Amino acid sequence: MYDLVIVGGGPGGVAAGVYAARKKMKTLLITDSFGGQSLVSADVQNWIGTKSVSGFDLGKMLEEHLRAQEDIEIIDSDKVTATSDKEVFLEVATEQGKTFQTKYLLVASGSRRRKLGIPGEKELDGKGVVYCSTCDAPLFKGKVTAVVGGGNAGLEAGVDLLPYAEKIYLLERNEAPKGDAITLAKLTANPKFELLIMTEPQKILGDAFVSGLEYLDRKTNQTKKLDLQGVFVEIGAIPNSEFVKDKVTTDKLGEIMVDHKTQKTSHPRIWAVGDVSDVLYKQNNISAGDAVKAVLNIYEELNKA
Ligand SMILES: Cc1cc2nc3c(=O)[nH]c(=O)nc-3n(C[C@H](O)[C@H](O)[C@H](O)COP(=O)(O)OP(=O)(O)OC[C@H]3O[C@@H](n4cnc5c(N)ncnc54)[C@H](O)[C@@H]3O)c2cc1C
């Protein structure tokens, strides 16, 4: 029986692991990898205490910090698939068929990119269809590209592409992008940029690599085609909350709702932190800080029991 099982090896999970180990709680951390979502970033410049670090090195630093703790067990290549309530504890099950019993569970499983779900997307993933502009914009030097999504992520993808791409279309479903006006102004001031409002991607074209994008012009109800080599999908994220979804209250996005003072969920034995939770801002430092809050609160509960 563990005091605490932590799910996730991103900044949230690792921060929780370090704090739980130092509190001498009997802890198991389960993750399928270390580093989390910014692992793919070429340069993270806002991880406090570090001026600049690649996502890969950040992942290594997190893993090293965790493994330096004496009092923690780590499973680094498995995934939690289900959580069940037992009388006075929880049981978590993993993809590899193991089960673990724990008094408390901390969910730090982050999120994954939302997909368009249109023909050609899966087939051309990594062959011109990309989900990380920070990582891949430099690969599109002199190319014609489209960004799908007019939220902040989409607008920032456009900005990432400005120094490289020959042309950047931005496809927005509604009448105006929802992202920051300042970022939009920076884009619209550049002649390479073209905003296509009231549009909906329908099909990504290409054999070995992307060669075009078909979209519905919702104003005229006509299908139109762009000849291009890159499609940047920036339509949000899906929280990795499936394995606890029937145990805790989630919002309409599937994010686990927490008490932001303690990180406690609607379930008395489950806490959640970082991108899987309904925290307003999704950032590495925030996940780590929320995890510290959660572990200190779980520690208090443990000592009350
Ligand atoms: C391309 C990109 C660049 C970014 N750049 C920055 C930046 O420069 N600065 C910044 O502050 N933020 C940045 N962010 C946001 C930042 O990466 C996230 O806010 C942060 O990673 C969230 O941390 P987390 O620990 O909550 O979750 P995650 O980082 O998503 O980590 C979740 C972990 O849980 C594991 N996991 C998931 N499901 C399971 C399961 N069922 N069982 C076991 N393990 C599981 C995952 O493998 C992963 O290790 C960026 C995000 C992206 C996508």
Side-chain angles (χ1 to χ4, degrees):
M1 170 75 74
Y2 290 96
D3 290 331
L4 176 63
V5 166
I6 298 166
V7 185
V14 170
V18 170
Y19 268 69
R22 290 169 60 82
K23 288 285 186 194
K24 305 270 181 212
M25 293 160 81
K26 186 170 164 47
T27 304
L28 169 68
L29 183 142
I30 307 173
T31 188
D32 55 348
S33 62
F34 281 103
Q37 291 163 72
S38 37
L39 197 62
V40 291
S41 278
D43 193 10
V44 177
Q45 297 188 348
N46 55 9
W47 180 243
I48 298 305
T50 315
K51 274 192 272 183
S52 163
V53 62
S54 70
F56 181 77
D57 285 344
L58 176 62
K60 276 203 303 195
M61 282 161 52
L62 290 172
E63 182 175 355
E64 271 169 29
H65 194 181
L66 185 73
R67 290 197 191 278
Q69 309 306 311
E70 279 171 12
D71 293 303
I72 189 156
E73 288 174 50
I74 301 167
I75 293 177
D76 61 9
S77 52
D78 202 355
K79 275 188 109 161
V80 173
T81 49
T83 308
S84 40
D85 268 308
K86 301 292 166 187
E87 265 171 38
V88 286
F89 60 91
L90 293 166
E91 194 167 86
V92 293
T94 74
E95 217 166 59
Q96 291 173 15
K98 295 181 186 136
T99 53
F100 301 97
Q101 296 178 345
T102 183
K103 293 175 189 163
Y104 298 105
L105 177 68
L106 175 54
V107 184
S109 48
S111 63
R112 57 189 187 275
R113 310 312 288 166
R114 188 179 292 278
K115 307 267 164 103
L116 289 166
I118 57 173
E121 182 183 28
K122 202 169 166 193
E123 297 81 348
L124 294 161
D125 187 347
K127 297 169 184 162
V129 176
V130 290
Y131 299 89
C132 174
S133 60
T134 337
C135 327
D136 294 332
L139 306 176
F140 289 81
K141 198 165 179 207
K143 309 274 190 219
V144 179
T145 59
V147 175
V148 182
N152 277 326
L155 299 187
E156 277 162 30
V159 172
D160 286 340
L161 281 163
L162 280 181
Y164 303 105
E166 179 192 300
K167 174 89 192 171
I168 305 143
Y169 296 101
L170 189 132
L171 279 78
E172 162 60 46
R173 205 173 181 280
N174 298 308
E175 292 204 333
K178 281 205 202 94
D180 286 346
I182 295 176
T183 320
L184 182 61
K186 188 170 176 182
L187 288 169
T188 49
N190 193 304
K192 288 182 186 179
F193 180 78
E194 190 174 333
L195 178 61
L196 302 172
I197 57 161
M198 300 286 287
T199 52
E200 207 171 293
Q202 289 191 315
K203 191 175 184 183
I204 301 174
L205 309 167
D207 294 323
F209 293 97
V210 168
S211 62
L213 174 68
E214 265 180 23
Y215 69 93
L216 176 72
D217 182 332
R218 298 174 67 214
K219 290 181 299 252
T220 60
N221 218 23
Q222 280 179 325
T223 299
K224 296 184 175 170
K225 186 186 156 205
L226 297 169
D227 291 324
L228 44 69
Q229 294 83 46
V231 178
F232 285 67
V233 182
E234 293 289 353
I235 54 168
I238 302 174
N240 297 319
S241 58
E242 289 84 354
F243 61 92
V244 281
K245 226 168 173 172
D246 59 341
K247 298 278 168 290
V248 296
T249 307
T250 55
D251 62 16
K252 63 180 190 313
L253 301 172
E255 294 176 343
I256 301 172
M257 296 177 76
V258 295
D259 165 9
H260 292 278
K261 214 165 156 185
T262 59
Q263 303 299 132
K264 196 169 185 175
T265 69
S266 57
H267 189 290
R269 296 188 177 274
I270 305 177
W271 277 248
V273 300
D275 285 21
V276 74
S277 77
D278 67 341
V279 66
L280 186 54
Y281 303 109
K282 277 38 181 189
Q283 287 284 286
N284 287 313
N285 293 290
I286 292 176
S287 291
D290 283 353
V292 173
K293 249 196 283 174
V295 170
L296 296 178
N297 193 243
I298 294 167
Y299 182 68
E300 264 182 40
E301 293 271 331
L302 188 67
N303 287 324
K304 260 194 242 159

Short mmCIF file of all heavy atoms in Angstrom, two decimals, residues 7-13 30-38 40-41 43-46 78-81 108-111 113 131-132 134-135 240 243 273-276 282-285 287, ligand 1:
data_model
loop_
_atom_site.label_atom_id
_atom_site.label_comp_id
_atom_site.label_asym_id
_atom_site.label_seq_id
_atom_site.Cartn_x
_atom_site.Cartn_y
_atom_site.Cartn_z
N VAL A 7 0.89 10.24 -11.07
CA VAL A 7 0.86 9.83 -12.48
C VAL A 7 1.39 10.98 -13.33
O VAL A 7 0.80 12.07 -13.35
CB VAL A 7 -0.58 9.49 -12.93
CG1 VAL A 7 -0.57 8.96 -14.36
CG2 VAL A 7 -1.22 8.49 -11.99
N GLY A 8 2.51 10.76 -14.02
CA GLY A 8 3.07 11.78 -14.91
C GLY A 8 4.51 12.11 -14.61
O GLY A 8 4.91 12.17 -13.44
N GLY A 9 5.28 12.32 -15.67
CA GLY A 9 6.71 12.62 -15.53
C GLY A 9 7.07 13.98 -16.12
O GLY A 9 8.21 14.22 -16.51
N GLY A 10 6.08 14.87 -16.19
CA GLY A 10 6.35 16.25 -16.63
C GLY A 10 6.76 17.08 -15.42
O GLY A 10 7.01 16.54 -14.33
N PRO A 11 6.82 18.41 -15.57
CA PRO A 11 7.21 19.25 -14.43
C PRO A 11 6.31 19.08 -13.21
O PRO A 11 6.79 19.12 -12.07
CB PRO A 11 7.12 20.67 -14.98
CG PRO A 11 6.43 20.57 -16.28
CD PRO A 11 6.58 19.19 -16.79
N GLY A 12 5.00 18.84 -13.44
CA GLY A 12 4.08 18.65 -12.32
C GLY A 12 4.40 17.37 -11.56
O GLY A 12 4.61 17.38 -10.34
N GLY A 13 4.45 16.26 -12.27
CA GLY A 13 4.69 14.96 -11.64
C GLY A 13 6.03 14.91 -10.93
O GLY A 13 6.14 14.43 -9.79
N ILE A 30 4.40 6.92 -11.61
CA ILE A 30 4.25 6.14 -12.86
C ILE A 30 4.18 7.11 -14.03
O ILE A 30 3.36 8.03 -14.04
CB ILE A 30 2.96 5.29 -12.84
CG1 ILE A 30 2.89 4.42 -11.58
CG2 ILE A 30 2.87 4.42 -14.10
CD1 ILE A 30 1.56 3.68 -11.40
N THR A 31 5.03 6.90 -15.02
CA THR A 31 4.98 7.73 -16.22
C THR A 31 5.43 6.90 -17.42
O THR A 31 6.07 5.87 -17.25
CB THR A 31 5.87 8.99 -16.08
OG1 THR A 31 5.64 9.86 -17.19
CG2 THR A 31 7.36 8.65 -16.01
N ASP A 32 5.08 7.39 -18.61
CA ASP A 32 5.60 6.69 -19.79
C ASP A 32 6.83 7.40 -20.34
O ASP A 32 7.50 6.88 -21.23
CB ASP A 32 4.51 6.53 -20.86
CG ASP A 32 3.87 7.85 -21.25
OD1 ASP A 32 4.10 8.86 -20.54
OD2 ASP A 32 3.13 7.87 -22.24
N SER A 33 7.14 8.60 -19.82
CA SER A 33 8.35 9.31 -20.25
C SER A 33 8.57 10.50 -19.32
O SER A 33 7.68 10.88 -18.56
CB SER A 33 8.19 9.82 -21.68
OG SER A 33 7.12 10.74 -21.72
N PHE A 34 9.76 11.10 -19.40
CA PHE A 34 10.05 12.28 -18.58
C PHE A 34 10.12 13.54 -19.43
O PHE A 34 10.58 13.50 -20.57
CB PHE A 34 11.38 12.10 -17.83
CG PHE A 34 11.24 11.23 -16.62
CD1 PHE A 34 11.66 9.90 -16.65
CD2 PHE A 34 10.64 11.71 -15.48
CE1 PHE A 34 11.50 9.09 -15.53
CE2 PHE A 34 10.48 10.93 -14.36
CZ PHE A 34 10.91 9.61 -14.39
N GLY A 35 9.70 14.66 -18.87
CA GLY A 35 9.89 15.94 -19.55
C GLY A 35 8.58 16.63 -19.89
O GLY A 35 8.49 17.84 -19.89
N GLY A 36 7.57 15.83 -20.26
CA GLY A 36 6.28 16.42 -20.57
C GLY A 36 6.25 17.07 -21.94
O GLY A 36 7.11 16.83 -22.79
N GLN A 37 5.28 17.95 -22.12
CA GLN A 37 5.01 18.47 -23.46
C GLN A 37 6.09 19.36 -24.05
O GLN A 37 6.27 19.41 -25.25
CB GLN A 37 3.73 19.30 -23.43
CG GLN A 37 2.50 18.50 -23.21
CD GLN A 37 1.38 19.42 -22.79
OE1 GLN A 37 0.86 20.17 -23.61
NE2 GLN A 37 1.01 19.39 -21.55
N SER A 38 6.84 20.09 -23.23
CA SER A 38 7.83 20.97 -23.85
C SER A 38 9.12 20.23 -24.19
O SER A 38 10.10 20.83 -24.64
CB SER A 38 8.08 22.24 -23.04
OG SER A 38 8.04 22.03 -21.68
N VAL A 40 9.60 18.70 -26.74
CA VAL A 40 9.86 18.92 -28.17
C VAL A 40 10.33 20.35 -28.47
O VAL A 40 10.66 20.67 -29.61
CB VAL A 40 8.58 18.63 -29.01
CG1 VAL A 40 8.26 17.16 -29.02
CG2 VAL A 40 7.40 19.44 -28.50
N SER A 41 10.36 21.22 -27.44
CA SER A 41 10.77 22.62 -27.68
C SER A 41 12.27 22.73 -27.88
O SER A 41 13.04 22.13 -27.14
CB SER A 41 10.40 23.49 -26.48
OG SER A 41 9.08 23.85 -26.55
N ASP A 43 13.91 25.49 -27.40
CA ASP A 43 14.47 26.41 -26.42
C ASP A 43 13.38 26.86 -25.44
O ASP A 43 12.44 27.55 -25.84
CB ASP A 43 15.02 27.64 -27.18
CG ASP A 43 15.89 28.50 -26.31
OD1 ASP A 43 16.22 28.08 -25.19
OD2 ASP A 43 16.24 29.61 -26.77
N VAL A 44 13.53 26.46 -24.18
CA VAL A 44 12.60 26.94 -23.15
C VAL A 44 13.34 28.04 -22.38
O VAL A 44 14.41 27.79 -21.83
CB VAL A 44 12.19 25.78 -22.19
CG1 VAL A 44 11.28 26.29 -21.08
CG2 VAL A 44 11.51 24.66 -22.97
N GLN A 45 12.78 29.24 -22.37
CA GLN A 45 13.52 30.37 -21.81
C GLN A 45 12.89 30.90 -20.53
O GLN A 45 13.32 31.94 -20.02
CB GLN A 45 13.59 31.50 -22.85
CG GLN A 45 14.34 31.08 -24.09
CD GLN A 45 14.58 32.22 -25.05
OE1 GLN A 45 14.01 33.29 -24.92
NE2 GLN A 45 15.44 31.99 -26.02
N ASN A 46 11.87 30.19 -20.02
CA ASN A 46 11.19 30.74 -18.83
C ASN A 46 11.07 29.72 -17.71
O ASN A 46 10.22 29.85 -16.84
CB ASN A 46 9.82 31.31 -19.22
CG ASN A 46 8.96 30.28 -19.95
OD1 ASN A 46 9.31 29.11 -20.02
ND2 ASN A 46 7.86 30.72 -20.49
N ASP A 78 5.38 2.85 -18.39
CA ASP A 78 4.04 2.26 -18.32
C ASP A 78 3.03 3.40 -18.22
O ASP A 78 3.42 4.55 -17.99
CB ASP A 78 3.93 1.33 -17.09
CG ASP A 78 2.82 0.29 -17.24
OD1 ASP A 78 2.07 0.34 -18.24
OD2 ASP A 78 2.70 -0.56 -16.35
N LYS A 79 1.77 3.10 -18.43
CA LYS A 79 0.72 4.13 -18.39
C LYS A 79 -0.41 3.68 -17.48
O LYS A 79 -0.80 2.50 -17.53
CB LYS A 79 0.13 4.31 -19.78
CG LYS A 79 0.90 5.25 -20.65
CD LYS A 79 0.17 5.53 -21.92
CE LYS A 79 -0.34 6.95 -21.92
NZ LYS A 79 -0.67 7.45 -23.24
N VAL A 80 -0.95 4.58 -16.72
CA VAL A 80 -2.12 4.25 -15.91
C VAL A 80 -3.35 4.27 -16.81
O VAL A 80 -3.54 5.20 -17.60
CB VAL A 80 -2.27 5.25 -14.74
CG1 VAL A 80 -3.57 5.02 -13.99
CG2 VAL A 80 -1.09 5.13 -13.80
N THR A 81 -4.17 3.22 -16.72
CA THR A 81 -5.33 3.12 -17.60
C THR A 81 -6.66 3.22 -16.85
O THR A 81 -7.69 3.52 -17.46
CB THR A 81 -5.32 1.78 -18.38
OG1 THR A 81 -5.10 0.74 -17.43
CG2 THR A 81 -4.24 1.77 -19.44
N ALA A 108 -1.04 14.06 -12.61
CA ALA A 108 -0.22 15.11 -13.24
C ALA A 108 0.08 14.66 -14.67
O ALA A 108 1.21 14.75 -15.15
CB ALA A 108 1.07 15.32 -12.45
N SER A 109 -0.98 14.18 -15.33
CA SER A 109 -0.77 13.52 -16.63
C SER A 109 -0.89 14.47 -17.82
O SER A 109 -0.85 14.02 -18.97
CB SER A 109 -1.76 12.35 -16.76
OG SER A 109 -3.06 12.78 -16.41
N GLY A 110 -1.02 15.76 -17.58
CA GLY A 110 -0.92 16.74 -18.65
C GLY A 110 -1.96 16.62 -19.74
O GLY A 110 -3.11 16.22 -19.50
N SER A 111 -1.56 16.99 -20.95
CA SER A 111 -2.51 16.95 -22.07
C SER A 111 -1.79 16.60 -23.36
O SER A 111 -0.56 16.56 -23.41
CB SER A 111 -3.23 18.30 -22.19
OG SER A 111 -2.29 19.30 -22.48
N ARG A 113 -2.07 17.09 -27.94
CA ARG A 113 -2.61 18.02 -28.93
C ARG A 113 -3.91 17.51 -29.54
O ARG A 113 -4.06 16.31 -29.81
CB ARG A 113 -1.60 18.25 -30.08
CG ARG A 113 -0.20 18.60 -29.67
CD ARG A 113 -0.10 19.68 -28.63
NE ARG A 113 -0.42 21.01 -29.11
CZ ARG A 113 -0.65 22.04 -28.32
NH1 ARG A 113 -0.62 21.91 -27.01
NH2 ARG A 113 -0.91 23.20 -28.84
N TYR A 131 2.43 19.77 -35.33
CA TYR A 131 1.66 20.23 -34.16
C TYR A 131 2.51 21.08 -33.23
O TYR A 131 2.06 21.41 -32.15
CB TYR A 131 1.13 18.99 -33.40
CG TYR A 131 0.21 18.15 -34.25
CD1 TYR A 131 0.71 17.12 -35.05
CD2 TYR A 131 -1.15 18.41 -34.30
CE1 TYR A 131 -0.12 16.37 -35.86
CE2 TYR A 131 -1.99 17.66 -35.10
CZ TYR A 131 -1.47 16.65 -35.89
OH TYR A 131 -2.30 15.90 -36.69
N CYS A 132 3.73 21.40 -33.62
CA CYS A 132 4.59 22.20 -32.75
C CYS A 132 5.35 23.23 -33.58
O CYS A 132 6.37 22.91 -34.19
CB CYS A 132 5.58 21.28 -32.01
SG CYS A 132 6.78 22.22 -31.05
N THR A 134 6.93 25.91 -32.58
CA THR A 134 8.23 26.29 -31.99
C THR A 134 9.31 25.33 -32.48
O THR A 134 10.44 25.71 -32.73
CB THR A 134 8.17 26.17 -30.44
OG1 THR A 134 6.84 26.28 -30.03
CG2 THR A 134 9.04 27.18 -29.77
N CYS A 135 8.93 24.05 -32.58
CA CYS A 135 9.92 23.04 -32.97
C CYS A 135 10.16 23.05 -34.48
O CYS A 135 11.28 22.91 -34.93
CB CYS A 135 9.44 21.64 -32.60
SG CYS A 135 8.46 21.55 -31.13
N ASN A 240 -5.29 14.57 -20.46
CA ASN A 240 -5.15 13.12 -20.28
C ASN A 240 -5.81 12.71 -18.97
O ASN A 240 -5.15 12.30 -18.02
CB ASN A 240 -3.66 12.74 -20.25
CG ASN A 240 -2.97 13.05 -21.56
OD1 ASN A 240 -3.51 12.82 -22.63
ND2 ASN A 240 -1.74 13.57 -21.48
N PHE A 243 -8.38 8.19 -17.35
CA PHE A 243 -8.30 7.11 -16.36
C PHE A 243 -8.90 7.47 -15.00
O PHE A 243 -8.94 6.63 -14.10
CB PHE A 243 -6.84 6.61 -16.21
CG PHE A 243 -5.89 7.68 -15.75
CD1 PHE A 243 -5.62 7.84 -14.40
CD2 PHE A 243 -5.27 8.50 -16.67
CE1 PHE A 243 -4.75 8.83 -13.97
CE2 PHE A 243 -4.40 9.49 -16.25
CZ PHE A 243 -4.14 9.66 -14.90
N VAL A 273 -3.00 18.31 -10.83
CA VAL A 273 -2.20 19.53 -11.03
C VAL A 273 -1.85 19.70 -12.50
O VAL A 273 -1.83 18.76 -13.28
CB VAL A 273 -0.87 19.48 -10.22
CG1 VAL A 273 -1.14 19.36 -8.74
CG2 VAL A 273 0.05 18.37 -10.71
N GLY A 274 -1.54 20.94 -12.86
CA GLY A 274 -0.98 21.23 -14.18
C GLY A 274 -2.00 21.16 -15.30
O GLY A 274 -3.20 21.39 -15.09
N ASP A 275 -1.55 20.80 -16.49
CA ASP A 275 -2.36 20.92 -17.70
C ASP A 275 -3.58 19.99 -17.71
O ASP A 275 -4.51 20.22 -18.48
CB ASP A 275 -1.50 20.64 -18.94
CG ASP A 275 -0.60 21.81 -19.27
OD1 ASP A 275 -0.34 22.64 -18.38
OD2 ASP A 275 -0.13 21.89 -20.43
N VAL A 276 -3.58 18.96 -16.90
CA VAL A 276 -4.75 18.07 -16.85
C VAL A 276 -5.87 18.70 -16.00
O VAL A 276 -7.01 18.26 -16.05
CB VAL A 276 -4.35 16.67 -16.30
CG1 VAL A 276 -4.11 16.69 -14.80
CG2 VAL A 276 -5.39 15.62 -16.66
N LYS A 282 -1.49 27.42 -18.60
CA LYS A 282 -0.78 26.15 -18.70
C LYS A 282 0.69 26.45 -18.97
O LYS A 282 1.07 26.84 -20.07
CB LYS A 282 -1.36 25.35 -19.86
CG LYS A 282 -2.61 24.51 -19.71
CD LYS A 282 -3.73 24.88 -18.95
CE LYS A 282 -4.86 23.87 -18.94
NZ LYS A 282 -6.07 24.37 -18.33
N GLN A 283 1.50 26.28 -17.95
CA GLN A 283 2.93 26.58 -18.05
C GLN A 283 3.71 25.61 -17.17
O GLN A 283 3.19 25.12 -16.16
CB GLN A 283 3.20 28.01 -17.55
CG GLN A 283 2.74 29.09 -18.50
CD GLN A 283 3.65 29.26 -19.70
OE1 GLN A 283 4.74 29.79 -19.59
NE2 GLN A 283 3.24 28.77 -20.85
N ASN A 284 4.98 25.38 -17.52
CA ASN A 284 5.82 24.45 -16.75
C ASN A 284 5.90 24.84 -15.27
O ASN A 284 5.72 24.02 -14.38
CB ASN A 284 7.24 24.44 -17.33
CG ASN A 284 7.29 23.71 -18.65
OD1 ASN A 284 6.75 22.61 -18.80
ND2 ASN A 284 7.95 24.31 -19.63
N ASN A 285 6.21 26.12 -15.03
CA ASN A 285 6.40 26.56 -13.64
C ASN A 285 5.11 26.44 -12.83
O ASN A 285 5.14 26.16 -11.63
CB ASN A 285 6.88 28.02 -13.60
CG ASN A 285 8.27 28.15 -14.16
OD1 ASN A 285 9.23 27.69 -13.55
ND2 ASN A 285 8.39 28.73 -15.34
N SER A 287 2.67 24.19 -13.33
CA SER A 287 2.46 22.77 -13.01
C SER A 287 3.31 22.37 -11.81
O SER A 287 2.83 21.69 -10.90
CB SER A 287 2.84 21.89 -14.20
OG SER A 287 1.92 22.08 -15.24
C1 LIG B 1 5.31 22.82 -28.03
C2 LIG B 1 5.12 23.36 -26.65
C3 LIG B 1 6.00 24.27 -26.15
C4 LIG B 1 5.84 24.78 -24.84
N1 LIG B 1 6.73 25.69 -24.37
C5 LIG B 1 6.61 26.13 -23.11
C6 LIG B 1 7.55 27.05 -22.57
O1 LIG B 1 8.46 27.50 -23.26
N2 LIG B 1 7.39 27.44 -21.26
C7 LIG B 1 6.37 26.96 -20.48
O2 LIG B 1 6.31 27.33 -19.30
N3 LIG B 1 5.45 26.13 -20.98
C8 LIG B 1 5.54 25.70 -22.26
N4 LIG B 1 4.61 24.85 -22.76
C9 LIG B 1 3.54 24.39 -21.88
C10 LIG B 1 4.12 23.33 -20.93
O3 LIG B 1 4.81 22.37 -21.70
C11 LIG B 1 3.02 22.67 -20.13
O4 LIG B 1 2.29 23.63 -19.42
C12 LIG B 1 3.63 21.66 -19.15
O5 LIG B 1 4.35 20.67 -19.84
C13 LIG B 1 2.55 21.00 -18.31
O6 LIG B 1 3.19 20.17 -17.41
P1 LIG B 1 2.40 18.96 -16.72
O7 LIG B 1 3.39 18.29 -15.82
O8 LIG B 1 1.14 19.44 -16.18
O9 LIG B 1 2.01 17.98 -17.92
P2 LIG B 1 2.85 17.38 -19.14
O10 LIG B 1 4.04 18.18 -19.42
O11 LIG B 1 1.87 17.16 -20.22
O12 LIG B 1 3.34 15.99 -18.57
C14 LIG B 1 2.47 14.91 -18.42
C15 LIG B 1 3.26 13.65 -18.21
O13 LIG B 1 2.37 12.58 -17.92
C16 LIG B 1 2.65 11.45 -18.73
N5 LIG B 1 1.37 10.73 -18.89
C17 LIG B 1 0.27 11.13 -19.57
N6 LIG B 1 -0.73 10.22 -19.42
C18 LIG B 1 -0.23 9.25 -18.61
C19 LIG B 1 -0.77 8.03 -18.09
N7 LIG B 1 -2.03 7.65 -18.34
N8 LIG B 1 0.02 7.25 -17.31
C20 LIG B 1 1.30 7.63 -17.03
N9 LIG B 1 1.88 8.77 -17.50
C21 LIG B 1 1.11 9.57 -18.29
C22 LIG B 1 3.20 12.08 -20.01
O14 LIG B 1 3.97 11.17 -20.75
C23 LIG B 1 4.05 13.21 -19.43
O15 LIG B 1 5.28 12.72 -18.98
C24 LIG B 1 4.75 24.34 -24.06
C25 LIG B 1 3.85 23.41 -24.58
C26 LIG B 1 4.03 22.91 -25.86
C27 LIG B 1 3.05 21.90 -26.41
#
